[in-house]
Amino acid sequence: MIAPLLYVWGDDELLAERLVTRFAGKLESEHGSPLERWDVRADQAIATAHAAQIYERLATPAMFGGGTLAVVTNPSALVKRNDTRDRVVETIGLMAPGHAIVFIEAAKSNAKGPGIKRLADPVKAAGGTIASAMAPRPTALAAWITDEARDRGLVLAGGAARELADRLGARVTEGDVDRRFLSRIASGELDKLQLRHVVDEGPVTAEDVRALVAETTPASVWALSDAVGERRAEVASQTLDRLIDATPEPVILTVLHRRIVELLEIGDRLTGGLNLPEAARAMGIKSEFRAKTLASQARNWTIAELTAALDGLVTLDAMVKGVAGFESDAAQRRLAFLLWIRDHVAAGVDVAAGVDVAAGVGAVGPG
């Protein structure tokens, strides 16, 4: 017999739902009939009522037919107050045979385990299962896609899974990507590619992915700024190459300018004697993670390198705006951005010997 208790924590909506479906299937096999699913989204404003409803329904034996599978989302609302939390824990201990309950905690992307210990611990103590539903990490999404395709009998050619992962934002680590629905989106795109496979037999190629799958999360501008701050020139170039076709050039310039200025400012404040919390407050940065990220990135640069990079962005800005003497077409500006990365982001660049971006474009532009 399986315990009628499941606690799911994670940031992936599809994986959480699959865990619930699998749990319901096991209960059905055990009881001989499906349980009636009852979805409850807990609300702190009426937590007392919700806790009472859950108790009343699950502590009462089922009179006719199958029991109830209560699926509770936003369970944190039930543990804010001791009385509602105690009522829910009481329900776990007094649940009538034939019923079951699932709690689904929407965890942060960096979670290492359940965040609501006041609820997860009683579930575990009662013999329930604690299960993770974390979205595939950026480096693991391609492998997840490969496994998912294999389960469907869909053959992916080399590079197809990586191309799909990249187009869905696998390389993005900043907060402009909501990963709760990442695997569901990937699953939907595999559905689309599977239809192509039915019409045109043969493995799905990277070219098929590029033709059929839009960049729902284009190579993120935040991923670009992170790669620049960390001086990963190759990653920055690849990200920019994908990003520049879908994002206005002024937006890219603004994000790059902001990051270089932030690195200059936080570096200056830290070398001036402020500690990190003081420097962050002075800059209006409220996130401790963001402050630590900027401080870590600033250590990769010297003041001279950041100043030179800022000067290079001024030249790029003139090209984007079409200032007299800096006129250029789209291909030349694309090359100018890539040259800026090569000349300023690559670690170990000799600032004094840096290449003039505008001059470089002129030298290799159409002749």
Side-chain angles (χ1 to χ4, degrees), residues 2-6 23 27 35 38 54-62 67-70 87-103 123 126 128:
I2 64 169
L5 298 165
L6 175 64
F23 181 62
L27 291 170
L35 275 65
W38 175 43
I54 293 169
Y55 177 86
E56 180 180 355
R57 185 150 180 176
L58 298 186
T60 304
T68 295
L69 172 60
R87 194 62 184 272
V88 173
V89 172
E90 183 183 7
T91 303
I92 292 173
L94 297 177
M95 189 158 48
H99 297 314
I101 189 167
V102 179
F103 299 99
V123 168

Side-chain angles (χ1 to χ4, degrees), residues 93-275:
L94 297 177
M95 189 158 48
H99 297 314
I101 189 167
V102 179
F103 299 99
I104 302 179
E105 174 196 338
K108 294 182 178 179
S109 61
N110 61 349
K112 303 299 182 184
I116 311 174
K117 295 290 188 180
R118 300 185 72 202
L119 196 52
D121 288 349
V123 168
K124 185 176 181 179
T129 300
I130 308 296
S132 168
M134 295 299 291
R137 297 301 89 194
T139 54
L141 182 58
W144 185 91
I145 289 170
T146 299
D147 291 342
E148 182 78 4
R150 185 184 300 115
D151 290 344
R152 298 162 177 246
L154 179 62
V155 180
L156 300 180
R162 169 50 58 194
E163 181 65 29
L164 178 54
D166 287 350
R167 296 182 82 77
L168 298 182
R171 297 179 186 273
V172 180
T173 57
E174 270 284 1
D176 57 339
V177 175
D178 187 346
R179 299 194 180 280
R180 289 176 300 165
F181 309 107
L182 187 56
S183 63
R184 185 174 292 280
I185 293 170
S187 179
E189 296 299 347
L190 285 173
D191 289 341
K192 186 191 303 180
L193 292 167
Q194 196 155 22
L195 289 175
R196 173 261 173 218
H197 181 68
V198 171
V199 175
D200 183 10
E201 293 184 1
V204 174
T205 66
E207 288 72 22
D208 294 327
V209 174
R210 284 191 285 271
L212 296 175
V213 180
E215 289 198 79
T216 54
T217 305
S220 164
V221 290
W222 301 115
L224 174 62
S225 63
D226 263 353
V228 167
E230 294 162 7
R231 306 201 74 166
R232 294 182 293 147
E234 183 177 355
V235 173
S237 295
Q238 293 171 350
T239 305
L240 174 68
D241 203 39
R242 295 192 306 273
L243 179 67
I244 201 166
D245 290 329
T247 307
E249 292 169 346
V251 172
I252 298 174
L253 268 174
T254 298
V255 171
L256 291 176
H257 181 272
R258 176 185 176 187
R259 180 54 55 95
I260 296 299
V261 169
E262 285 176 330
L263 296 179
L264 271 168
E265 184 174 355
I266 199 165
D268 180 63
R269 292 184 185 280
L270 292 174
T271 56
L274 295 183
N275 59 33

